[in-house]
Amino acid sequence: MKNDARTRHHGRMLSNFAPGNYRSLIVPGRPFSDGIVADAGFDLVRAVLYRPLPLYEGLDAARRHVEQAGRPVTALAGFELRIPEPLTAEGFEAFNAPYVARMRQLGLSTDEGLVTTRTNVAPTVSGVAEPSLYAFTYTVPTTAGRGTAYRLSGATETRSDGTTAERLRSIVEALEARLAELGTGWDAATAITVYGVACDLDRETLDRFGAGAVRGLRWYPSLPPIVDVGYEIDAHSVGSELTL
């Protein structure tokens, strides 16, 4: 299935994924996209599983949910995963292989790569014994005119030195570039989530979030999926959230 790749930036391409009614920042060769933005006339729903399900059981549940909601499986735009502990680089590659195969089976890919976003973290609290699906996001038609609906994949720090605040700021700067490519910004966010053993954002960084921080700045005690990385941040702008 061919996409209309409209722009490219640092290897990313903003492509139209017509079967899902969204555009995706595809990164060729990666197991997820950097972000998605819903098409005009569509909004996003974020569904959180009250109890995380084993990963592939959870993906099947997500498929059934969107179909029961009258949407095609290709409306699925993002997944939030939880794993028991961070992985080595080799372990992360092995984890991704069957995941990529499942995304392709669900039709959530194009010739350029996978279209769905992903946040994948290891909670530092108990409750996750195996790779699990925690939440998923999908597109729905709307006439509300709420504004731009989007979801960013989790991003990790681009620097390993400096203070916690400086490392977190490096993530914010990277995500700002993605938001610009999606044609939106922090002000549209309905939630911004920080993943790490601490959430030490300085005033300069908080001010950059604008109205997005007023609607919700969350801290989730956890670690990124690869060892020796300390922090991750994602964000979304959705019209509704529900618990299944």
Side-chain angles (χ1 to χ4, degrees):
M1 184 182 300
K2 278 287 186 182
N3 264 7
D4 176 19
R6 299 177 183 273
T7 59
R8 294 173 182 266
H9 181 74
H10 298 310
R12 290 193 294 263
M13 59 186 76
L14 180 59
S15 295
N16 179 38
F17 184 59
N21 303 114
Y22 61 86
R23 286 160 289 154
S24 177
L25 279 176
I26 294 176
V27 186
R30 292 186 64 183
F32 50 86
S33 72
D34 277 352
I36 66 95
V37 59
D39 290 344
F42 288 84
D43 207 336
L44 292 172
V45 175
R46 179 175 182 255
V48 179
L49 298 170
Y50 183 70
R51 291 185 178 84
L53 291 174
L55 179 55
Y56 296 102
E57 180 182 338
L59 293 177
D60 286 341
R63 174 187 55 78
R64 290 194 301 271
H65 174 82
V66 296
E67 291 176 340
Q68 290 167 3
R71 297 292 290 147
V73 66
T74 49
L76 287 164
F79 298 102
E80 297 170 56
L81 280 51
R82 301 293 183 259
I83 56 177
E85 59 186 6
L87 303 167
T88 63
E90 294 77 12
F92 189 64
E93 184 175 347
F95 173 86
N96 284 324
Y99 178 86
V100 168
R102 182 59 63 89
M103 292 296 104
R104 295 193 184 283
Q105 289 171 1
L106 292 172
L108 298 171
S109 67
T110 69
D111 292 345
E112 287 82 21
L114 299 191
V115 297
T116 52
T117 64
R118 192 176 85 180
T119 294
N120 182 17
V121 294
T124 56
V125 293
S126 60
V128 176
E130 63 182 304
S132 303
L133 181 67
Y134 171 74
F136 58 93
T137 300
Y138 59 96
T139 59
V140 291
T142 184
T143 58
R146 180 181 65 85
T148 304
Y150 69 80
R151 171 144 197 101
L152 295 177
S153 287
T156 58
E157 68 262 34
T158 61
R159 57 182 294 178
S160 58
D161 61 335
T163 65
T164 296
E166 290 170 334
R167 292 166 70 181
L168 289 169
R169 190 183 313 130
S170 75
I171 306 175
V172 172
E173 291 169 351
L175 292 179
E176 283 178 350
R178 300 181 189 182
L179 288 168
E181 291 172 64
L182 292 171
T184 187
W186 294 118
D187 278 349
T190 54
I192 301 164
T193 306
V194 178
Y195 305 89
V197 294
C199 180
D200 186 13
L201 293 162
D202 58 18
R203 173 52 56 185
E204 177 186 343
T205 303
L206 288 170
D207 288 344
R208 295 167 85 149
F209 292 147
V214 174
R215 296 189 192 96
L217 181 60
R218 306 170 177 175
W219 170 50
Y220 194 112
S222 56
L223 291 170
I226 301 179
V227 295
D228 298 328
V229 183
Y231 302 95
E232 189 160 331
I233 298 176
D234 67 15
H236 61 254
S237 174
V238 302
S240 61
E241 298 198 36
L242 53 89
T243 302
L244 302 179

